[in-house]
Amino acid sequence: MRRTGIIIALDLFLLIICGLGVYRLAQKPAFPAELDNKNGDIYVKNTSTQTRNSLKQGDTILTIAGQHVHSEGEVEFLCNEHAIGTIVEVAIMRGDKILLVGAPLIGSYSQGSIIVETLAGFVFFCIGVFVALRRNKDKAVIAFHNLCVTIAALILLTTGYYNISPSWLGYGLEFLFFASYILVPVFFVRFMLVFSDSNFSRIRVLPIYFIAVLLFIWIGITFANAVIPSIHLEKYGPYNIALTAVKIFFAVIFFAGLYISYRSYRTSKEEFEQRKLRWIFFGIAFGVCDYIFLQLIPQIITGKALVSEEIVLSISVIAPISFAIALVRYRIFDVNLLIKRTSAYALVIGAMLLIYLAIVAGLSSLIHISESSSSVVNVVSALMVALLFGPLQRIIQRIIDETFFRVSYNFHEAQQNILEEIKFANNKVALANLIIERIQTILPVKKVGFFVVESPSDKLRLLSHQNFDIIERRKIALEKNALKTGLDLPVALQDKIEPGINFEIADEQVFSRWGMALVLPMLSSNRSIIGFLVLGEKLSGARFSMEDVSLLNSVSTQSGLALERFTVEFALLLQQAESERLSELNKLKSYFVSSVSHDLKTPLTSIRLFAELMQNNESLSSEKKNEYLSIIDGEADRLSRLITNVLDFAKIEKGTKDYRLESIDLNDIVQNVIRLLDYQIQSNGFQIQTILDSTPLPIRGESDAISDVLINLITNAMKYSPSDRKKIILSTSLENNQAIIRVEDEGYGMAANEIEYIFEPFYRINNSVMKSAGGAGLGLSLVKHAMDGHNGKVEVKSEIGKGSIFALYFPIYLV
């Protein structure tokens, strides 16, 4: 509070002084004609309305108020002793005559100029005071305050009218102007040293203060000798030399401060420090360099400024604004873009102007410039400068980019590109790989991992990573209730993230153990945790900047939504697949019921038909009755086999189907099946060729089950054979200690890509001829199950139009 009180008191006093300076600006007189130097003489270039009757263009000025003048600086200096409206006696030479005329002094500044200077001065003053009041414990802020209020004094106490009552006030204000002029570059250097080094010591700037004091004493003495008790132009020379020395001191010390800031930027590793310094550079480029290059240096060399003071002051207010942003809130908007674009073009324009002046001066020295040829020189110079603009702009832009943005990236472009790529990721792994790859490209880190929360176990699984090998195959339990944070913000180690960023402080012990520096949660639309983006520290050693965190926040947010989208899409696919499965089951059920009904109805119809014939026709012979009974018996067997198949399939589906294995001979099984199917074989007009191995084929199996297998294969062979090829070969053999039964037909055959599916329940070959044969599609699935139950196997060879061979392999059983 005490420091704040002192600052306020000093600033109020300086504000009063600046107010007097504004009054003095309004009272500053000027000679009522535009003058120029020619061959060491001063002549009238243009006249004002007040002097058109007394002064004319081309008049040579000899004396003003009785004193010989030789430069415009002497004229301005001499006028400062008189008030506006004073008529001074001027000796002029017009042609070969010397005349004495009266010239009424006019105001040096127009009302608009006074307003511009006043506003510019008070902008510096107010910004300096505002920043100091907001952060008055910061050394850099105090140094900035001193710089700003001194610049305000320099603007408002510009050299001017001395003859103010009381007389000491006018001279005192001029001495304060000299002090401000000398202190501004000193305070600028001090500010840059404090800003770039928190351990700044005043001893480092003591030599500059010593030189500044000597300059102040020098210019003060020479000024007093020249104006007290009245102006003596013969003493103006020493004063002008001292004033030029002050201007040189201003430029040299300013460039020293600029070098300090540049060196600080080059040695800084932290992005946030570099960003602050970029704001400083921006302020220097537009708020200070314009004064140095457009006014100060031209005045030192030629005695005239290149542009008016009002223009320079209007631009200079950029400096305190950008400096204040660097101190208080250096992320108010993208300074990178400002520096890359505006600084480059400003430097190009400045360079173009200097090149233009150099070309004009060079051509003027080579040829004699007349009124008619001056325009030609200007056109030639302008064309040469225009040709140089493009190459020079590219060179300066490259220098700025390489010097100030060596570790930067285009935030908006990077964000737009990566978010666009996230939209096209089609699964979790692809998304994770994309994120890891892009992060390492944009801001390389020592390690990075993409974790997802598995439901319902709430365990973290690492989908993709770089250098997280230690937990690559581990699943980490996520104890949500034990979390110390709500994960609404990124979680980070405090020394790994820039100041001014909202984040939650991490558990240092846990983060250090796993090599983590920054963790960003990935949340669903209802704010539940579905994953984490985990990063180690940057390879550069720098902290994560605001742009880094903003980019990563956007990536984690969109990744969370993408993960949620994948989950919803997967659920929808499962639902669709389940719906399709149920639909297929309904179709299969309908087909099964229809097919079984048809297969059961056929033998029942035959049984009923022949039973009715026997019942209604008493005159039937014994032979016919035996024939009909044989048919009824065969159809009953057929019906029994169909029912057995359905019952066996039901048992297989329930997992209750088993086989009672015992020692049997395959040859006996084959002969018994031929007898059982004798009626069906003859009624369908088939010829069965039986080829049995000459030796017994003992196996362990269930006779009924193996018989059913053979019956299914033989009935299928009859069902899927055309009417002109009704031959089936049934054979047994012993090969490689395996008993083999082969059923070979000359039927329709199957394509190779159909064979792998024929043992699935209800499968039907997509062929109109095959489908017309009927059947429920259970027989071959029962064959496969029975062979598996007997530790055997079934193989199929088939060719469309040539028939099929089904081979059953059983292990030989030796007692």
Side-chain angles (χ1 to χ4, degrees):
M1 289 296 294
R2 182 179 178 184
R3 174 179 287 183
T4 303
I6 294 173
I7 290 174
I8 292 174
L10 291 175
D11 287 341
L12 286 175
F13 172 74
L14 187 59
L15 186 60
I16 295 172
I17 298 298
C18 289
L20 292 173
V22 174
Y23 168 75
R24 197 168 72 134
L25 282 176
Q27 299 300 316
K28 179 177 172 61
F31 192 75
E34 184 181 350
L35 306 177
D36 201 356
N37 289 340
K38 186 176 182 180
N39 299 326
D41 294 325
I42 301 176
Y43 69 95
V44 176
K45 188 175 182 181
N46 287 306
T47 60
S48 63
T49 55
Q50 295 92 331
T51 60
R52 284 177 182 170
N53 295 328
S54 55
L55 295 175
K56 294 183 178 181
Q57 184 175 354
D59 289 346
T60 300
I61 306 297
L62 301 178
T63 64
I64 297 177
Q67 297 195 59
H68 289 277
V69 290
H70 303 90
S71 67
E72 294 176 69
E74 289 182 345
V75 173
E76 180 184 359
F77 186 68
L78 186 60
C79 291
N80 284 336
E81 188 179 31
H82 305 282
I84 295 174
T86 302
I87 298 176
V88 295
E89 185 180 78
V90 181
I92 62 173
M93 177 175 286
R94 185 177 296 164
D96 55 355
K97 296 180 180 180
I98 296 178
L99 303 174
L100 290 177
V101 298
L105 299 182
I106 61 175
S108 182
Y109 293 96
S110 66
Q111 188 174 4
S113 298
I114 294 173
I115 292 174
V116 170
E117 298 226 6
T118 303
L119 287 176
F122 278 97
V123 166
F124 275 90
F125 184 88
C126 292
I127 290 177
V129 172
F130 167 77
V131 174
L133 292 177
R134 183 168 178 175
R135 295 176 59 184
N136 57 25
K137 294 182 180 180
D138 191 332
K139 290 182 179 180
V141 168
I142 299 302
F144 172 73
H145 163 267
N146 295 341
L147 174 62
C148 280
V149 297
T150 307
I151 293 175
L154 176 63
I155 294 172
L156 298 175
L157 292 174
T158 184
T159 182
Y161 181 46
Y162 314 135
N163 195 15
I164 298 176
S165 181
S167 60
W168 59 266
L169 181 59
Y171 298 130
L173 292 175
E174 192 70 14
F175 281 110
L176 287 175
F177 166 73
F178 295 144
S180 302
Y181 210 144
I182 294 171
L183 287 176
V184 164
V186 177
F187 284 163
F188 174 68
V189 168
R190 188 176 187 277
F191 167 67
M192 291 311 308
L193 287 171
V194 175
F195 185 80
S196 59
D197 184 6
S198 58
N199 299 317
F200 165 76
S201 173
R202 295 181 180 180
I203 297 176
R204 297 172 63 181
V205 294
L206 282 180
I208 300 177
Y209 278 114
F210 180 73
I211 296 173
V213 170
L214 292 179
L215 280 174
F216 179 73
I217 294 173
W218 180 19
I219 196 171
I221 292 173
T222 56
F223 172 74
N225 287 336
V227 302
I228 301 176
S230 60
I231 290 179
H232 303 283
L233 285 184
E234 64 272 12
K235 297 181 180 180
Y236 173 78
Y239 162 71
N240 190 45
I241 293 173
L243 183 59
T244 302
V246 169
K247 292 178 179 179
I248 294 173
F249 173 80
F250 188 105
V252 170
I253 300 302
F254 163 76
F255 284 117
L258 187 60
Y259 170 74
I260 292 170
S261 61
Y262 172 74
R263 186 187 62 186
S264 300
Y265 182 86
R266 296 296 295 180
T267 57
S268 174
K269 293 182 178 180
E270 300 291 354
E271 172 64 19
F272 74 96
E273 291 179 357
Q274 293 176 352
R275 183 175 292 275
K276 289 181 178 182
L277 286 165
R278 288 176 198 148
W279 276 114
I280 297 296
F281 290 133
F282 182 73
I284 291 171
F286 285 90
V288 184
C289 284
D290 60 329
Y291 172 71
I292 297 291
F293 290 106
L294 301 179
Q295 275 209 315
L296 186 61
I297 293 178
Q299 283 178 349
I300 294 174
I301 298 174
T302 67
K304 290 184 179 181
L306 292 178
V307 297
S308 66
E309 188 174 349
E310 291 80 7
I311 294 176
V312 171
L313 289 175
S314 299
I315 300 174
S316 68
V317 295
I318 295 175
I321 295 173
S322 62
F323 285 14
I325 290 172
L327 288 168
V328 179
R329 191 175 183 182
Y330 59 93
R331 296 188 177 281
I332 193 167
F333 52 84
D334 193 358
V335 67
N336 294 354
L337 184 61
L338 289 175
I339 292 180
K340 282 187 173 183
R341 297 294 177 261
T342 54
S343 293
Y345 282 105
L347 291 173
V348 170
I349 292 171
M352 291 293 98
L353 183 60
L354 292 176
I355 293 172
Y356 175 78
L357 293 175
I359 293 173
V360 171
L363 292 175
S364 300
S365 63
L366 292 175
I367 61 175
H368 177 69
I369 301 297
S370 63
E371 291 292 334
S372 60
S373 61
S374 60
S375 59
V376 176
V377 172
N378 290 332
V379 170
V380 172
S381 302
L383 288 174
M384 295 177 68
V385 168
L387 291 173
L388 289 173
F389 180 84
L392 188 62
Q393 189 273 332
R394 288 191 291 271
I395 292 171
I396 292 178
Q397 186 72 69
R398 186 177 68 251
I399 292 172
I400 290 176
D401 289 344
E402 292 177 354
T403 304
F404 294 100
F405 301 93
R406 60 193 186 279
V407 294
S408 184
Y409 58 88
N410 189 316
F411 167 74
H412 297 291
E413 182 180 342
Q415 183 184 51
Q416 182 179 358
N417 290 342
I418 193 170
L419 295 185
E420 191 67 25
E421 289 180 293
I422 288 175
K423 293 179 183 178
F424 293 99
N426 53 19
N427 60 67
K428 294 181 179 180
V429 175
L431 173 67
N433 291 334
L434 167 69
I435 299 303
I436 298 303
E437 180 183 350
R438 292 296 176 268
I439 287 177
Q440 286 291 53
T441 301
I442 296 170
L443 42 101
V445 291
K446 290 184 177 179
K447 55 174 61 178
V448 57
F450 190 100
F451 293 82
V452 294
V453 179
E454 292 188 330
S455 180
S457 62
D458 278 349
K459 288 188 176 181
L460 292 175
R461 181 162 66 96
L462 186 60
L463 281 188
S464 183
H465 74 98
Q466 282 194 11
N467 301 324
F468 266 115
D469 306 88
I470 189 172
I471 53 177
E472 184 174 14
R473 292 178 176 84
R474 296 177 57 182
K475 291 187 178 181
I476 305 170
L478 176 63
E479 299 177 1
K480 295 180 180 179
N481 296 330
L483 290 174
K484 299 179 182 179
T485 170
L487 295 178
D488 294 324
L489 297 171
V491 183
L493 294 174
Q494 196 163 9
D495 61 341
K496 301 301 180 184
I497 199 164
E498 286 185 6
I501 302 175
N502 291 329
F503 71 99
E504 297 187 23
I505 299 177
D507 186 322
E508 188 170 351
Q509 185 177 0
V510 173
F511 269 51
S512 298
R513 182 170 72 248
W514 296 107
M516 300 185 298
L518 175 63
V519 173
L520 298 102
M522 292 182 281
L523 306 178
S524 65
S525 56
N526 62 357
R527 308 297 295 172
S528 61
I529 302 169
I530 58 177
F532 293 94
L533 187 58
V534 181
L535 294 92
E537 63 179 279
K538 284 186 174 183
L539 288 176
S540 63
R543 302 187 189 194
F544 288 96
S545 67
M546 178 69 79
E547 283 77 13
D548 298 337
V549 176
S550 296
L551 176 65
L552 294 171
N553 262 329
S554 299
V555 170
S556 62
T557 299
Q558 292 303 315
S559 297
L561 295 177
L563 290 174
E564 185 177 32
R565 170 169 57 86
F566 297 148
T567 303
V568 172
E569 288 176 352
F570 183 70
L572 289 174
L573 289 174
L574 286 180
Q575 184 178 356
Q576 183 180 357
E578 181 67 13
S579 176
E580 291 176 354
R581 189 182 71 85
L582 292 175
S583 177
E584 184 66 22
L585 284 177
N586 285 331
K587 291 180 181 178
L588 289 174
K589 182 177 71 173
S590 299
Y591 172 77
F592 173 74
V593 171
S594 173
S595 179
V596 169
S597 299
H598 176 271
D599 288 347
L600 291 175
K601 187 182 293 184
T602 300
L604 283 174
T605 301
S606 296
I607 292 171
R608 176 177 293 177
L609 173 64
F610 287 101
E612 288 178 352
L613 287 174
M614 292 176 64
Q615 186 178 6
N616 296 328
N617 192 349
E618 296 179 357
S619 61
L620 284 174
S621 64
S622 297
E623 292 180 359
K624 279 293 182 182
K625 287 182 179 179
N626 290 333
E627 180 185 349
Y628 290 168
L629 287 174
S630 176
I631 291 172
I632 290 172
D633 184 57
E635 292 297 332
D637 286 341
R638 180 181 174 188
L639 181 62
S640 177
R641 287 193 297 272
L642 289 171
I643 295 172
T644 299
N645 279 348
V646 173
L647 294 176
D648 285 346
F649 178 73
K651 289 180 181 179
I652 291 172
E653 286 290 288
K654 292 180 180 179
T656 59
K657 177 67 176 175
D658 55 3
Y659 302 96
R660 296 184 300 275
L661 305 182
E662 57 185 1
S663 179
I664 57 175
D665 187 346
L666 272 186
N667 286 333
D668 295 340
I669 298 293
V670 172
Q671 290 174 346
N672 185 53
V673 167
I674 294 298
R675 285 193 296 271
L676 289 173
L677 292 177
D678 181 62
Y679 163 75
Q680 196 166 347
I681 291 170
Q682 290 184 13
S683 63
N684 285 283
F686 272 85
Q687 178 186 355
I688 298 287
Q689 182 181 355
T690 305
I691 305 173
L692 302 180
D693 194 86
S694 59
T695 60
L697 301 175
I699 65 168
R700 283 187 60 81
E702 183 180 292
S703 297
D704 292 341
I706 297 175
S707 296
D708 289 340
V709 167
L710 282 175
I711 290 170
N712 274 310
L713 292 178
I714 293 171
T715 55
N716 275 352
M718 291 189 291
K719 187 185 301 183
Y720 299 116
S721 292
S723 58
D724 59 340
R725 295 198 299 269
K726 292 190 174 185
K727 182 179 180 180
I728 299 174
I729 300 175
L730 185 60
S731 63
T732 62
S733 61
L734 178 64
E735 299 174 11
N736 298 325
N737 206 32
Q738 286 185 311
I740 304 172
I741 301 176
R742 289 184 174 88
V743 180
E744 183 177 353
D745 62 56
E746 297 177 350
Y748 299 115
M750 296 172 287
N753 60 343
E754 299 274 7
I755 293 176
E756 59 179 308
Y757 302 108
I758 61 176
F759 295 103
E760 295 179 3
F762 308 113
Y763 181 77
R764 304 283 291 169
I765 293 176
N766 189 20
N767 182 296
S768 59
V769 176
M770 304 285 272
K771 284 185 177 181
S772 64
L778 296 179
L780 290 180
S781 67
L782 296 175
V783 170
K784 179 70 167 60
H785 189 273
M787 294 306 296
D788 290 341
H790 286 77
N791 297 317
K793 65 178 181 177
V794 56
E795 290 183 352
V796 183
K797 294 181 181 179
S798 185
E799 189 175 348
I800 295 177
K802 293 185 178 182
S804 303
I805 301 175
F806 283 81
L808 306 175
Y809 293 80
F810 297 89
I812 289 293
Y813 174 67
L814 300 175
V815 181

